[in-house]
Amino acid sequence: MAVISGDGVFSHVFLGAVDTAVSAKFYDAALAALGIKNLGPFGHGWILYGREKPAFIIARPGNGEAPSSNGVTIGFAAATPAEVEAFHAAGLANGGTDEGAPGPRSHLPGAYAAYLRDPAGNKICSYTFTDGN
């Protein structure tokens, strides 16, 4: 069985943002397509996302330096290929750039995915599995 979520593995994922307002606009749109919502601000400029509780956070890096995530990809689970497509379209329409159009991925059986770069240059994707895994 394919595992596509960090359930039981991660407490949260934190990505650096250059401009949290610009990044929030991008993530509000792209993640809403997956049923993930902006849960509001926290602390000193953090923005929390999740379905019912926070699991994904964006903010300016604590050390004040530019965010850097070369080689890192955060994957968000989708229920259907249509959700993957909506995630990709919403991200592109809200400041993201294409890193891989929606479609099948040959490296995993039944995988259907799309990749984006957020406004700060972080790489994210959304996956679903069409064979039920």
Side-chain angles (χ1 to χ4, degrees):
M1 176 161 74
V3 177
I4 60 170
S5 84
D7 186 29
V9 177
F10 301 104
S11 63
H12 66 281
V13 173
F14 183 108
L15 278 183
V18 174
D19 181 326
T20 55
V22 170
S23 289
K25 180 181 179 213
F26 168 84
Y27 282 108
D28 286 357
L31 297 183
L34 305 174
I36 300 168
K37 56 191 170 225
N38 180 327
L39 299 175
F42 178 79
H44 300 287
W46 292 17
I47 300 173
L48 309 176
Y49 290 86
R51 288 196 170 87
E52 299 303 321
K53 59 185 179 179
F56 180 68
I57 304 162
I58 60 169
R60 293 221 14 102
N63 66 3
E65 294 183 22
S68 173
S69 64
N70 188 34
V72 174
T73 302
I74 306 296
F76 293 93
T80 65
E83 280 191 4
V84 170
E85 293 164 5
F87 158 88
H88 191 259
L92 290 176
N94 287 277
T97 56
D98 179 47
E99 277 290 316
R105 297 301 190 259
S106 62
H107 60 279
L108 290 170
Y112 191 92
Y115 288 81
L116 293 164
R117 292 267 179 189
D118 75 6
N122 297 302
K123 189 175 181 181
I124 65 169
C125 65
S126 182
Y127 266 77
T128 192
F129 289 85
T130 58
D131 66 356
N133 289 324

